[in-house]
Amino acid sequence: MTVNRVGLVVHGGRPEAVAAADAVRAWCAEHAVGCAAIDVWQEGERHSAREEVDSAGDPDLIVTLGGDGTFLRGARLAAENDALVLGVDLGRVGFLTEVPATAVRAALDAVLEEQITVERRMMLTMRASCRLEVPSHMEALVRYGRGPLLPPPRVRTDCESGDDWGVALNVTALNDIVLEKLARDRQVSAGVYIAGRLLASYSADALLVATPTGSTAYSFAAGGPVVSPRAEGLVFTPVAPHMAFNRSVMAAPDEPIALRVLERSGQAAVSVDGQVRGVLDPGDWIGVYAAPRRLKAVRLGPMDFYGRLRERMNLTDAPAAVADGTAAPLWPVTTRPPGDLAHLALPPMPDDTPPLPGDTPRRP
């Protein structure tokens, strides 16, 4: 495919990320491809995704060099520009990045030669009863020591606003949108509505709505289910709710989830992919729903999500399951599927996909 310009999102605190960025720049120079670093901390301030991609010259491929947090930054920029995003893996426990740093040049060659697949991941957007902003006197409280806040989300001018439907905000989330308490000694109380009907009123540390991609992030830590990133749906999970019903609920992709801060609740912060974007008062609400666009993630081959789940979560077999026998094989099937099963999404044969440079060859 044609790659005219590459945007780099680099975890500057990791020397290996900086070195990998140099490799990307060298590749771009060799192929006459424009390349610009996207500095999300310009001059001590944060900028909107639109400002950042504009300053980088509207890249059509975003390359992230870091872990999942760096990838989320890149995803925000890619979604704004409808660009492809390629994650170079320099993290420790993440699920989003695609290739090891040693294979970055091979990955860019594959993009140029169209030897890739584009995986479309569901994202979230939102409406709110009011524009989101963080009061200036509260910025130090909600910043959590992580540097400057992102600017308030813009209102989408292409959508109707007002009446019961609030304002449409220019927000995209790959992982989750969270309503969380601001004070340690006071939970947030909110009514939770799914598809327009009240599910229940919760008092909890936080209430989060995650995508299938985000099911292995905050939602997982809060006890939510692991969902295939190829699935479609919204996962609602309460965090430390003060009630007996503490289960997650998965809604269909066309069923919005609304969170209304109750009158006796304290103020609540709204976070989008871990970034605080606003503070709500009692009576305010947000509505979370599937975004019309999908993130376009570059994949060099089938993603072994469940193998990565076992590896990254350090899953071990139950002692009783292996005490008197042998462990289950990692590759239980060694023959190709019959015709009536050929349409199923199954892992490739161990020797079907040659490893990229730096990969460990897969074995049965």
Side-chain angles (χ1 to χ4, degrees):
M1 65 175 295
T2 301
V3 178
N4 295 314
R5 193 163 185 82
V6 171
L8 290 177
V9 181
V10 185
H11 191 305
R14 294 185 180 175
E16 63 272 30
V18 175
D22 290 338
V24 175
R25 292 188 186 95
W27 183 92
C28 289
E30 293 169 12
H31 293 81
V33 172
C35 184
I38 303 177
D39 183 2
V40 295
W41 307 94
Q42 291 174 0
E43 300 175 0
E45 297 181 359
R46 301 298 298 276
H47 295 262
S48 71
R50 184 72 264 161
E51 291 170 327
E52 288 170 359
V53 296
D54 285 347
S55 67
D58 291 326
D60 42 31
L61 173 66
I62 304 289
V63 178
T64 72
L65 302 119
D68 277 6
T70 308
F71 186 90
L72 288 172
R73 294 179 189 173
R76 180 172 64 92
L77 304 172
E80 181 70 27
N81 221 39
D82 198 28
L84 297 174
V85 60
L86 170 67
V88 178
D89 186 11
L90 295 163
R92 298 180 180 88
V93 296
F95 287 82
L96 300 175
T97 49
E98 168 71 356
V99 299
T102 53
V104 65
R105 291 181 64 94
L108 292 170
D109 287 339
V111 173
L112 195 63
E113 296 165 5
E114 299 186 4
Q115 301 298 313
I116 63 169
T117 58
V118 177
E119 184 179 71
R120 298 181 182 271
R121 293 281 185 102
M122 176 183 168
M123 302 186 78
L124 302 175
T125 188
M126 62 184 293
R127 285 179 176 250
S129 57
C130 57
R131 296 192 64 166
L132 287 184
E133 60 181 13
V134 177
S136 58
H137 67 279
M138 298 182 67
E139 286 191 7
L141 173 65
V142 302
R143 193 184 302 167
Y144 301 125
R146 292 187 172 221
L149 298 172
L150 283 166
R154 305 190 313 274
V155 175
R156 291 182 57 189
T157 57
D158 60 321
C159 297
E160 295 182 31
S161 295
D163 298 326
D164 293 333
W165 303 102
V167 293
L169 299 175
N170 191 50
V171 165
T172 52
L174 179 60
N175 269 355
D176 48 47
I177 294 176
V178 181
L179 186 71
E180 54 191 326
K181 68 179 185 180
L182 281 170
R184 184 176 181 272
D185 62 346
R186 188 168 189 175
Q187 291 186 311
V188 59
S189 296
V192 176
Y193 300 80
I194 299 181
R197 294 292 185 181
L198 178 67
L199 176 66
S201 293
Y202 287 77
S203 182
D205 283 358
L207 303 166
L208 66 91
V209 182
T211 64
T213 295
S215 70
T216 52
Y218 190 6
S219 179
F220 175 82
V226 174
V227 182
S228 167
R230 300 178 63 233
E232 295 275 302
L234 286 72
V235 183
F236 165 72
T237 301
V239 181
H242 200 266
M243 59 191 296
F245 184 74
N246 62 355
R247 298 294 191 267
S248 297
V249 177
M250 186 164 181
D254 60 351
E255 294 177 332
I257 298 179
L259 310 173
R260 181 182 295 273
V261 183
L262 300 180
E263 295 298 334
R264 294 185 178 274
S265 173
Q267 291 179 306
V270 178
S271 295
V272 179
D273 280 347
Q275 301 283 339
V276 176
R277 304 303 303 273
V279 173
L280 298 184
D281 293 315
D284 292 336
W285 58 263
I286 59 172
V288 181
Y289 53 100
R293 284 184 179 176
R294 297 294 189 263
L295 181 73
K296 298 191 297 188
V298 172
R299 295 294 176 202
L300 305 183
M303 181 182 178
D304 184 10
F305 172 72
Y306 301 103
R308 185 173 292 190
L309 178 68
R310 177 181 174 88
E311 174 192 349
R312 293 295 171 95
M313 296 299 180
N314 199 25
L315 300 184
T316 56
D317 303 317
V322 297
D324 300 319
T326 58
L330 293 179
W331 294 91
V333 177
T334 58
T335 58
R336 300 190 182 282
D340 62 317
L341 303 181
H343 65 289
L344 299 180
L346 297 171
M349 301 300 292
D351 56 354
D352 272 358
T353 306
L356 286 167
D359 278 353
T360 301
R362 291 184 280 184
R363 300 183 183 279

